[in-house]
Amino acid sequence: MYDFVVVGAGPAGSRFARRVTEAGYDVVVFEQGTVGTPLACSGHVSTDIWSFVPDDARDRLWQNEIRGARFHTGGPESGSHAFYKDSVVSNVIDRVELDRTLADAAERAGAEIRENHTVTGLEETRDCVTVTVRGPNGIEHHRGRIVAGCDGPNSRVRQEVGLQDPDELLHGVLGFDDKPDHDEFVDVHLTVPEFFAWRIPRGDAGVEYGLAMAPSEDVTERFESFTAGYGVETDRRCSGLIPIGPPEQTHSGRVFLLGDAAGQNKPFTGGGILYGMTAADIAAAYIDPENPQTLAAYEDAWRAELKRDIELGHLIRGGYSLPESIQETGMSLFEGKIGVHMDRPTSLFSREQLRAMISGFK
Ligand SMILES: Cc1cc2nc3c(=O)[nH]c(=O)nc-3n(C[C@H](O)[C@H](O)[C@H](O)COP(=O)(O)OP(=O)(O)OC[C@H]3O[C@@H](n4cnc5c(N)ncnc54)[C@H](O)[C@@H]3O)c2cc1C
């Protein structure tokens, strides 16, 4: 019997596995594919990322430094409003390498990581959860005191235990141009219904173009016309889902959800790497596998940490659907230097942001 069975070796699952293994628990992680693949993420993260990875990983992961964003209400040819800091706001990192680094750290701590093992079923009983897994040698059954569903936006674990799905699943598409670009600004185009399209300079790794929107037939068509506006043809296309939530409840008797499975991301960007790992640390601190009642404490604690930022994130996303004239006026008023933390919209009300605004009005 394992103390924890973790489903999914993305950032949330690997971080959680590392922390609970370090605390002395027996942990196995089942990953349906190979860690880090297929890629479906921009890897654009705040500098907080460095507190979650070993120091020696920085050189492998780092691709570019970002100081701000240019917002456009139109395509590439349109004017823009720049929001920036004097210091680095965020980094662009190699997302595949991030997942490998986090899984390696969990493995080094003592967790068993089993790639090519897909969890296909769960049965909760009073004393444990029996997990059905399809691996290279056929069907296996394993028992765990607690199961962590870290299996992403389309979570099988969530379905199996009957927890509610997130309100929406957006469809994100990415494509790459190999030409190196060391610009310190990302471009954001509010030209997509209820979300946006983006251009991210990735240093020597080239440029990434992407967009996300409600799944519909014209996602590809819109992506083509967006990149054509920039005069580029992208390759290495990939796509993934972005949950917008979170659902009302993220735990059952002996099972809990973490990361995208729990809708722990920013509704105004879809970014979930740091929220998922923040919640993983909270889960590791609160959940005692001998006492399933502690799952409720995890639920309260992660909401206390992230709820207000997620709520404000929903409000910000609402701004993407405002008429263009209002977006232009709003951005003209607030453009310039900012003090806000990219993962924490509540820092809009911080002293640093106030100072940045006042200096802009001088
Ligand atoms: C186009 C796009 C761009 C994005 N850009 C950013 C960005 O720039 N910054 C950012 O912070 N976030 C971004 N995100 C979001 C980010 O990718 C997610 O928030 C993050 O990956 C969530 O981590 P996770 O560990 O919860 O889930 P995942 O990374 O999805 O990991 C889940 C893992 O579970 C495995 N799995 C699934 N089902 C099973 C099963 N039944 N059995 C075993 N294993 C299973 C999967 O193979 C996967 O490895 C983006 C998302 C998309 C779609």
Side-chain angles (χ1 to χ4, degrees):
M1 167 99 87
Y2 292 99
D3 291 314
F4 291 102
V5 172
V6 178
V7 186
S14 291
R15 176 71 183 182
F16 176 73
R18 174 184 169 185
R19 300 296 273 183
V20 282
T21 308
E22 285 169 346
Y25 293 116
D26 281 338
V27 181
V28 64
V29 183
F30 293 113
E31 166 54 49
Q32 68 182 359
T34 309
V35 171
T37 61
L39 172 72
C41 174
S42 308
H44 178 218
V45 284
S46 73
T47 52
D48 292 359
I49 191 70
W50 304 116
S51 62
F52 289 91
V53 295
D55 288 344
D56 63 0
R58 198 185 173 104
D59 287 349
R60 284 199 312 276
L61 299 182
W62 187 91
Q63 292 181 331
N64 199 17
E65 230 156 50
I66 302 296
R67 277 198 312 117
R70 289 182 290 255
F71 278 77
H72 309 246
T73 52
E77 75 297 337
S78 64
S80 65
H81 301 273
F83 295 81
Y84 58 89
K85 279 188 178 178
D86 289 334
S87 54
V88 177
V89 174
S90 55
N91 284 154
V92 184
I93 60 164
D94 181 334
R95 169 63 204 267
V96 173
E97 200 50 46
L98 173 72
D99 284 26
R100 288 188 187 136
T101 299
L102 295 166
D104 282 353
E107 202 159 36
R108 272 205 307 275
E112 260 181 69
I113 310 256
R114 311 219 0 217
E115 293 179 310
N116 303 310
H117 283 74
T118 306
V119 169
T120 58
L122 296 182
E123 201 189 324
E124 282 186 88
T125 55
R126 206 171 63 88
D127 302 321
C128 71
V129 188
T130 303
V131 181
T132 306
V133 185
R134 194 179 58 238
N137 301 321
I139 300 295
E140 305 167 15
H141 297 283
H142 298 271
R143 289 187 312 146
R145 291 192 167 83
I146 298 286
V147 169
C150 313
D151 50 344
N154 233 346
S155 171
R156 176 72 185 246
V157 173
R158 192 175 64 218
Q159 264 172 39
E160 287 287 316
V161 294
L163 288 168
Q164 191 199 331
D165 286 338
D167 299 333
E168 290 173 72
L169 283 176
L170 303 181
H171 183 179
V173 188
L174 302 177
F176 299 86
D177 175 15
D178 289 335
K179 202 160 143 223
D181 188 333
H182 297 268
D183 191 7
E184 294 178 313
F185 279 76
V186 297
D187 287 281
V188 175
H189 296 266
L190 304 176
T191 50
V192 168
E194 297 176 33
F195 218 69
F196 57 87
W198 63 87
R199 178 187 189 278
I200 301 180
R202 311 191 69 95
D204 288 338
V207 180
E208 174 196 301
Y209 296 85
L211 65 76
M213 59 189 286
S216 77
E217 280 172 26
D218 72 352
V219 172
T220 311
E221 207 175 291
R222 273 187 188 264
F223 183 75
E224 297 288 355
S225 100
F226 173 57
T227 51
Y230 270 103
V232 291
E233 213 167 291
T234 59
D235 63 7
R236 290 179 285 136
R237 292 275 183 85
C238 54
S239 71
L241 294 173
I242 295 175
I244 305 286
E248 287 290 304
Q249 187 163 327
T250 57
H251 77 281
S252 61
R254 285 185 172 271
V255 176
F256 73 99
L257 305 176
L258 194 58
D260 270 18
Q264 289 160 341
N265 66 0
K266 296 180 277 182
F268 63 110
T269 67
I273 295 173
L274 281 155
Y275 280 15
M277 290 201 289
T278 300
D281 284 359
I282 293 171
Y286 278 85
I287 300 173
D288 173 358
E290 301 282 356
N291 179 7
Q293 308 283 339
T294 52
L295 294 181
Y298 153 72
E299 177 102 39
D300 291 345
W302 85 253
R303 288 185 195 274
E305 178 67 28
L306 297 175
K307 186 171 169 236
R308 283 192 318 133
D309 283 299
I310 292 177
E311 280 171 359
L312 196 52
H314 280 291
L315 277 179
I316 295 171
R317 182 179 170 218
Y320 302 159
S321 305
L322 291 171
E324 191 178 322
S325 58
I326 298 179
Q327 290 175 336
E328 285 287 347
T329 311
M331 290 197 287
S332 304
L333 270 176
F334 293 109
E335 70 187 328
K337 212 194 284 186
I338 49 164
V340 70
H341 185 293
M342 77 178 259
D343 294 330
R344 296 295 189 170
T346 47
S347 60
L348 271 171
F349 309 109
S350 67
R351 206 175 286 171
E352 198 191 349
Q353 172 64 17
L354 212 59
R355 212 178 291 134
M357 281 172 70
I358 290 166
S359 68
F361 285 132
K362 274 183 198 159

